[in-house]
Amino acid sequence: MAHSLTKIWIHGIFATHNREPLIIESIEEAVHNKIRNIIINDLKCPLRIINGMPDHIHILFLMNSGITIEDMFKRIKGSSSHWVNQGDLMNSKFAWQTGYAAYSVSESQLNIVEEYIRNQKEHHKKFNFQHEYDGFLKNHGILAPKTVKTV
């Protein structure tokens, strides 16, 4: 094959430092717009949706195969936190927590994942972040089932 072809949708999740509720309502749209700009213009990744809560962000984007996932998240988080801190949007220092979660999304599941991200605020009226996070680990086979030791 003469060409390399990829089409990998990524559902990315990352949290604020210590999961503090730093993304308050008054800056939420600006932060989301900055992240959108980084993903689309800097990383050249089509973005399907971005949404989140005061302590974390969800993004659904088409991966640029020329950049590693690690580098993508490093640039998204680094550029956006620098922008928030330089823009004087907050009285305190803004930072993202180390790490991220990135899950591949099947084309057949895009609408379901997009709807899930769109409804974050409703979802979190029922489930906290830890419950959500544990569910992702379990659903993606990352969290091993607990075993019972017998003597």
Side-chain angles (χ1 to χ4, degrees):
M1 181 185 284
H3 301 287
S4 298
L5 304 172
T6 64
K7 189 174 185 185
I8 304 169
W9 286 98
I10 300 294
H11 177 187
I13 308 164
F14 49 98
T16 57
H17 184 68
N18 293 327
R19 294 214 307 249
E20 293 179 39
L22 300 176
I23 308 169
I24 58 175
E25 190 175 345
S26 62
I27 69 165
E28 180 182 48
E29 185 176 354
V31 171
H32 289 185
N33 285 338
K34 181 59 180 175
I35 293 171
R36 179 180 290 106
N37 182 278
I38 294 164
I39 293 170
I40 294 170
N41 297 319
D42 297 350
L43 299 174
K44 307 296 185 220
C45 297
L47 177 70
R48 183 122 175 196
I49 191 168
I50 179 171
N51 199 11
M53 295 296 292
D55 65 346
H56 70 280
I57 295 279
H58 289 260
I59 51 178
L60 180 59
F61 64 95
L62 194 57
M63 191 171 158
N64 174 342
S65 63
I67 305 171
T68 67
I69 290 177
E70 181 180 3
D71 286 342
M72 284 184 195
F73 280 93
K74 189 178 198 177
R75 287 176 62 184
I76 292 166
K77 292 165 57 182
S79 294
S80 62
S81 62
H82 178 75
W83 177 82
V84 170
N85 288 320
Q86 294 302 309
D88 211 22
L89 296 176
M90 305 178 63
N91 292 331
S92 60
K93 182 172 169 49
F94 183 89
W96 296 110
Q97 189 163 298
T98 303
Y100 59 89
Y103 304 102
S104 61
V105 178
S106 168
E107 196 80 25
S108 66
Q109 299 298 306
L110 284 176
N111 290 337
I112 293 167
V113 174
E114 180 177 12
E115 194 63 22
Y116 171 77
I117 293 171
R118 179 175 285 110
N119 292 316
Q120 275 296 290
K121 290 177 180 44
E122 286 301 312
H123 171 76
H124 283 289
K125 287 180 181 176
K126 299 174 191 167
F127 303 104
N128 66 22
F129 180 80
Q130 191 64 50
H131 184 268
E132 177 184 51
Y133 182 71
D134 290 345
F136 274 105
L137 295 177
K138 182 179 175 189
N139 290 341
H140 290 275
I142 298 170
L143 186 63
K146 292 182 180 174
T147 58
V148 178
K149 290 186 178 182
T150 56
V151 182

